[in-house]
Amino acid sequence: MKIIRKIALTELQTLFYSPVAWLILIVFTFIAAMTFTDVFGAFVLSQDLNYGQTNITLGLLAGMRGLFTNMQGYLYLYIPLLTMSLMSRELSSGSINLLYSSPVKNSQIILGKYLSMLVYGLAMVLVLFVFVLVAAFTVKDFGFPVALSGLMGLYLLICAYAAIGLFMSSLTSYQVVAAIGTLAVLALLNLVGQLGQEYDFVREITYWLAIGGRANESIGGLICSEDILYFLIVSGLFLALSILRLKAIRQKSRWQVSFTKYIGVFALAMLLGYVSSRPRLMAFYDATRTKQQTLTPNSQDIIKRADGGLTMTSYVNILDDNLWSGLPTNRKNDINRFRQYVRFKPEIKMKYVYYYTNARPEYYARLYPGLSDERIVGRISKSSDLDSTMFMPPEAINKMIDLAPESFRLVRLLERENGQKTFLRMFDDMIRYPNETEISAAFKRVVMELPVIGFVTGHGERDINNDGDRGYFRFSQDKPYRYSLINQGFDCEEIRLDAEVPARVNILVIADVRTPISPADQANLDAYIARGGNLVILGETRRQEVMNPLAERFGVKFMPGQLVRYVDEKAEKEEAAAASVNSVSVNGVAISTVRQRSKNPFQADFIQSRVTDRAKEVSYVHEGMHNRGLVVTMPGSVGLTYETDKGYNVIPLLVSDTLHSWNELETTNFIDDTVRVNPAIGEVKASYPTALALTRQVNGREQRILITGDADCLSNGEISMQRAGVPAANYNLIMGAFFWMSNNEVPIDVRRPPLTDNELFISGPTTKLVKYLLMGLFPLLLLAGCLLIWLRRRGR
């Protein structure tokens, strides 16, 4: 060890007595300062403009523009310039012969040289630590563990680069060749992960070898044993190759012998890499304050319940738009999407089945006129460099599994050893892939019974199989729609009240009844309510006579007429007066700062229901809607009245506008007629409840009932509608309501504690001072240190 330290000290003296090492360190510092101050200034500007700030620690260090993320991409430029002379200089000057003639082992030479690079790498990390300290003093509740995790990842990356550069330097006496060789090897290790991905065995080797992005997890605050061992194994591999290289030169070994040793060392490294990447042997630590790089506690609890083996089989159709997600070339990326779950359940096995079935014959007939399905598959396979024989024909896949209900889209089958299984789907939105909410809901399906929602039929109610504007198909069981209940953990089925409501039904939905409910049907409904079943009643305009008998037993009544919102002339004058206050003077002319738009942009019967402050008693989803000022759009709603003497605790969930809404009793044509409030017949401007949540204790559990004055708010057309200036969140109402109805079982609650690093202690003017200090003074101090050492050496 003493000899190793002496060699390292000698190398460091040589390194820091030359301008190259100092120049690299100064340039590195300047680039880091420029990157840090750029993103730091953006956060300060955002705060000065009163925009919301959150997760500043990761934003500064690990975001797309973060310091660590950017510096990781620059490291490969610096290290080859440092390592190119480590051994090349000894070989070209002949000083290597002096080392050979001395009692110094080959391993001591290599380890001494490598130790000098570790020290230099530590100097680079200390430079980055200065920026971490700046952030720590200026960011509220700065996440130090995340910063240390990122620094560790970058340091390990530097160590791996240094080992590679040291080996390349031992191969040649030309320093430039060593530098170029190092760059070439680093480029190869960055690209090797894309090679041979279509072959199972090759895929495991090349993907593990890839060094690109290896520090991303650490930079993001997640310390993984697989990544740490990767850097150690790669560093050890190239150090061992360097030692073998010196031994071959010293002993003048035959190239066949040396090559065999190289292959042996490489094979050993691959074996260690394979073992270290096995899920059962992997460990991790989430350094983030809210553990945002791992599963939420609810998801972890679900995974713990899934004892025994579990297989996830992906069925990939070549004639599906999601084909590319499941191809062999993209398989490792696809598997990594479930990596968080594999960490908690290493027994998960991933399988892939490839087939073809033309579920869109008209589309492919236009795209490939006159071609059979087999020839279409051959054409696509050829253009995509795929083997067409890997895709099973329709007859074979149909014998294996019935995918017709899934429209032959890319779908994953989760199946436990005990036979419980369910589907996990892709979605038709910008993200496409399932998130933690959907994945955990699918896992929960196979470990426990989830709520069943029964939609009552037989009296003209809304149809969950109807995909028209008035139907309820989209929010209930539209499989490609992420927020449909079936993808959030519920089962939906139609229920007729001519028989007893099945015990498996936990939630009953009665929406827009058009014909009276018979006494026999009412008796079955009463029995369901008496046993404590949860209930949703959705009213509609001109249905009061039929639906009031359903609601009155709960102390709720659908008001006659319907709610309207209209701004009259007096209200316009009041708003004009308010607008004169919100104005600025430009050249003596008052310019209103309030956007001028129509006071009645929609029909009078279009109601934007606000979420009440008491909604937080129902669901955290509704509380979020209230805090963000979101509304529920109701194109035609009935107001609700309620009494509290029926044994139910009543919570107003949604209410109409306070200033400009009333219960209209006269007008029914809202297209041609103009509504006017008529106090003489009882029309009063007020805020009317449009949704009520009711609770009571039945059989030792809380019964939950939701009553709304509109059924269209959940319809296919309304939840898909977007209107200018209307912050509608009808699907939030659905998620929050059924979360409450399911006793908080599903949708899965994946919330995390609020982030507290959401404030900076400096403002815009101070940012300039920080920028000048970091980009100017800091590099100048390093330059002064360089000049001081150079002058002292010259004096000696």
Side-chain angles (χ1 to χ4, degrees):
M1 190 64 188
K2 185 176 181 181
I3 295 176
I4 294 175
R5 287 200 301 269
K6 286 185 176 181
I7 295 175
L9 182 60
T10 302
E11 190 63 37
L12 286 171
Q13 289 176 343
T14 303
L15 197 63
F16 281 100
Y17 283 155
S18 70
V20 175
W22 284 102
L23 180 61
I24 290 174
L25 197 59
I26 291 171
V27 171
F28 177 81
T29 303
F30 181 80
I31 297 297
M34 186 169 60
T35 303
F36 178 80
T37 55
D38 181 48
V39 65
F40 187 77
F43 273 106
V44 172
L45 177 62
S46 178
Q47 178 171 281
D48 289 347
L49 294 175
N50 290 327
Y51 294 152
Q53 302 274 35
T54 185
N55 210 10
I56 297 179
T57 301
L58 281 179
L60 284 174
L61 304 179
M64 291 184 61
R65 299 169 56 195
L67 173 64
F68 292 170
T69 304
N70 280 272
M71 298 314 295
Q72 178 187 204
Y74 297 141
L75 284 177
Y76 78 97
L77 297 174
Y78 304 113
I79 304 303
L81 298 178
L82 293 167
T83 60
M84 64 181 183
S85 62
L86 287 177
M87 293 304 303
S88 298
R89 182 179 62 250
E90 308 286 358
L91 295 172
S92 62
S93 65
S95 57
I96 189 67
N97 295 321
L98 296 176
L99 291 174
Y100 287 161
S101 62
S102 61
V104 178
K105 298 179 181 179
N106 298 320
S107 58
Q108 292 174 329
I109 298 173
I110 294 300
L111 293 178
K113 299 281 188 178
Y114 185 62
L115 180 59
S116 67
M117 286 296 98
L118 297 186
V119 174
Y120 190 91
L122 187 61
M124 299 177 75
V125 169
L126 288 176
V127 168
L128 296 178
F129 186 71
V130 172
F131 300 103
V132 170
L133 289 177
V134 172
F137 283 109
T138 55
V139 176
K140 175 187 175 183
D141 294 334
F142 179 77
F144 248 117
V146 174
L148 296 178
S149 171
L151 290 173
M152 183 196 71
L154 291 178
Y155 184 66
L156 290 174
L157 183 63
I158 292 172
C159 295
Y161 283 177
I164 296 170
L166 177 56
F167 171 65
M168 296 308 298
S169 180
S170 69
L171 294 179
T172 177
S173 59
Y174 299 99
Q175 297 184 23
V176 175
V177 174
I180 295 175
T182 303
L183 287 172
V185 172
L186 294 179
L188 177 62
L189 289 178
N190 274 279
L191 298 175
V192 71
Q194 304 173 20
L195 303 178
Q197 293 299 297
E198 60 271 25
Y199 308 107
D200 292 341
F201 177 73
V202 178
R203 181 190 306 119
E204 294 296 329
I205 296 176
T206 57
Y207 192 85
W208 181 86
L209 267 177
I211 201 171
R214 275 288 180 173
N216 285 345
E217 297 274 27
S218 297
I219 290 174
L222 186 66
I223 303 174
C224 299
S225 62
E226 180 187 9
D227 294 330
I228 294 175
L229 291 175
Y230 169 83
F231 288 121
L232 296 179
I233 292 171
V234 168
S235 299
L237 168 64
F238 283 95
L239 289 176
L241 293 177
S242 301
I243 294 171
L244 290 176
R245 169 60 179 168
L246 286 192
K247 186 175 181 180
I249 297 175
R250 198 170 193 173
Q251 298 179 354
K252 296 182 171 55
S253 302
R254 297 172 58 187
W255 71 268
Q256 295 92 337
V257 176
S258 300
F259 183 75
T260 302
K261 292 179 180 179
Y262 292 156
I263 293 297
V265 171
F266 183 79
L268 178 61
M270 294 304 100
L271 177 62
L272 293 174
Y274 176 81
V275 172
S276 66
S277 62
R278 296 308 88 195
R280 291 180 180 273
L281 301 178
M282 292 168 56
F284 68 92
Y285 172 72
D286 191 345
T288 59
R289 181 176 286 109
T290 61
K291 308 302 177 185
Q292 57 188 288
Q293 302 297 346
T294 52
L295 295 177
T296 57
N298 284 339
S299 295
Q300 293 181 34
D301 180 64
I302 293 170
I303 295 299
K304 289 178 182 178
R305 299 186 188 184
D307 54 343
L310 189 147
T311 303
M312 182 183 295
T313 306
S314 299
Y315 292 92
V316 185
N317 184 4
I318 191 175
L319 300 180
D320 174 40
D321 291 339
N322 295 313
L323 163 70
W324 312 109
S325 300
L327 287 180
T329 53
N330 197 45
R331 186 173 299 179
K332 294 299 292 187
N333 292 330
D334 189 60
I335 291 174
N336 283 340
R337 292 187 178 92
F338 303 95
R339 193 174 183 180
Q340 290 186 341
Y341 290 85
V342 174
R343 290 190 182 115
F344 290 96
K345 187 170 180 59
E347 300 89 356
I348 296 178
K349 297 179 181 178
M350 306 286 289
K351 296 182 179 179
Y352 291 80
V353 175
Y354 299 94
Y355 71 99
Y356 73 87
T357 295
N358 192 350
R360 298 179 295 171
E362 295 181 358
Y363 169 77
Y364 282 104
R366 293 194 304 269
L367 200 61
Y368 302 100
L371 295 184
S372 64
D373 291 348
E374 293 81 359
R375 294 186 63 185
I376 293 174
V377 170
R379 179 78 65 85
I380 296 175
S381 299
K382 184 177 180 180
S383 61
S384 304
D385 196 23
L386 298 172
D387 181 6
S388 61
T389 60
M390 66 185 287
F391 297 97
M392 301 169 57
E395 303 79 23
I397 192 65
N398 290 336
K399 292 180 181 179
M400 180 183 297
I401 187 174
D402 182 15
L403 294 176
E406 300 296 326
S407 303
F408 299 101
R409 294 163 55 94
L410 191 155
V411 67
R412 309 177 201 275
L413 179 67
L414 275 65
E415 186 171 10
R416 293 180 65 191
E417 286 180 345
N418 59 11
Q420 292 178 311
K421 53 188 176 182
T422 190
F423 284 115
L424 178 62
R425 304 174 179 91
M426 303 281 284
F427 304 112
D428 289 341
D429 53 26
M430 293 293 290
I431 302 174
R432 302 194 74 83
Y433 296 97
N435 291 325
E436 182 180 346
T437 303
E438 294 79 43
I439 299 174
S440 294
F443 274 97
K444 198 167 187 176
R445 276 184 179 275
V446 298
V447 299
M448 63 180 295
E449 291 186 4
L450 291 182
V452 177
I453 305 175
F455 288 81
V456 174
T457 63
H459 315 91
E461 294 92 346
R462 299 295 175 96
D463 187 357
I464 61 173
N465 296 310
N466 181 358
D467 58 0
D469 282 351
R470 290 175 55 82
Y472 276 10
F473 174 75
R474 185 159 178 78
F475 92 85
S476 62
Q477 53 185 359
D478 186 5
K479 293 176 180 177
Y481 181 53
R482 181 182 302 274
Y483 303 105
S484 66
L485 296 177
I486 195 173
N487 290 320
Q488 296 297 322
F490 295 93
D491 283 323
C492 301
E493 59 182 71
E494 293 182 332
I495 297 293
R496 296 185 65 88
L497 293 178
D498 54 4
E500 183 180 348
V501 178
R504 66 178 180 276
V505 175
N506 312 95
I507 305 168
L508 203 61
V509 179
I510 305 175
D512 193 7
V513 176
R514 297 192 174 195
T515 60
I517 296 178
S518 67
D521 290 2
Q522 185 65 51
N524 288 321
L525 177 60
D526 291 343
Y528 171 81
I529 296 173
R531 79 187 193 202
N534 294 339
L535 180 66
V536 179
I537 299 176
L538 298 128
E540 189 57 54
T541 58
R542 297 184 294 278
R543 304 280 191 269
Q544 290 93 328
E545 183 179 353
V546 179
M547 298 203 66
N548 265 328
L550 293 173
E552 286 175 346
R553 65 177 297 164
F554 307 111
V556 180
K557 186 176 181 180
F558 295 99
M559 299 174 64
Q562 71 178 94
L563 298 179
V564 296
R565 182 188 185 279
Y566 188 80
V567 181
D568 57 20
E569 294 181 0
K570 182 178 179 181
E572 290 180 0
K573 292 180 181 178
E574 292 173 353
E575 292 192 8
S580 65
V581 176
N582 296 297
S583 62
V584 296
S585 178
V586 179
N587 296 327
V589 179
I591 306 297
S592 175
T593 60
V594 179
R595 180 184 176 187
Q596 299 299 314
R597 62 192 302 265
S598 172
K599 302 297 187 299
N600 298 292
F602 306 108
Q603 277 186 193
D605 62 340
F606 178 71
I607 302 300
Q608 301 180 43
S609 292
R610 299 179 293 103
V611 184
T612 67
D613 181 57
R614 291 192 65 189
K616 61 186 177 183
E617 301 176 33
V618 176
S619 165
Y620 74 91
V621 179
H622 297 137
E623 181 182 9
M625 293 174 65
H626 171 75
N627 295 338
R628 296 165 58 192
L630 303 178
V631 300
V632 175
T633 56
M634 297 181 167
S637 177
V638 177
L640 304 174
T641 61
Y642 62 91
E643 302 172 353
T644 58
D645 58 354
K646 300 292 184 179
Y648 291 91
N649 175 38
V650 183
I651 303 173
L653 184 62
L654 301 176
V655 294
S656 63
D657 187 6
T658 304
L659 297 176
H660 307 299
S661 68
W662 67 90
N663 188 41
E664 178 62 37
L665 300 174
E666 296 178 311
T667 306
T668 58
N669 183 356
F670 299 102
I671 298 177
D672 301 320
D673 296 344
T674 301
V675 295
R676 289 287 186 271
V677 61
N678 186 357
I681 61 173
E683 295 179 353
V684 179
K685 285 189 174 182
S687 178
Y688 294 88
T690 57
L692 300 172
L694 297 86
T695 62
R696 69 168 180 172
Q697 294 295 319
V698 178
N699 299 326
R701 61 182 295 270
E702 186 177 71
Q703 183 181 43
R704 299 177 175 183
I705 297 170
L706 177 67
I707 302 176
T708 73
D710 178 49
D712 284 325
C713 63
L714 306 189
S715 66
N716 301 329
E718 196 58 32
I719 64 175
S720 304
M721 180 71 69
Q722 292 184 346
R723 298 177 178 89
V726 179
N730 290 34
Y731 70 88
N732 285 29
L733 170 68
I734 298 170
M735 294 296 101
F738 284 98
F739 177 76
W740 180 62
M741 283 282 165
S742 68
N743 298 309
N744 304 346
E745 285 288 340
V746 283
I748 307 299
D749 183 2
V750 294
R751 290 177 298 163
R752 302 178 189 273
L755 297 167
T756 56
D757 54 340
N758 54 9
E759 182 183 350
L760 291 160
F761 298 137
I762 65 174
S763 58
T766 313
T767 308
K768 292 183 179 180
L769 176 62
V770 173
K771 185 173 183 178
Y772 294 148
L773 291 175
L774 294 180
M775 292 185 62
L777 182 60
F778 193 9
L780 286 176
L781 289 175
L782 292 176
L783 179 61
C786 172
L787 293 175
L788 179 62
I789 292 177
W790 179 76
L791 290 173
R792 288 186 61 186
R793 186 186 182 195
R794 186 178 180 183
R796 290 179 181 177

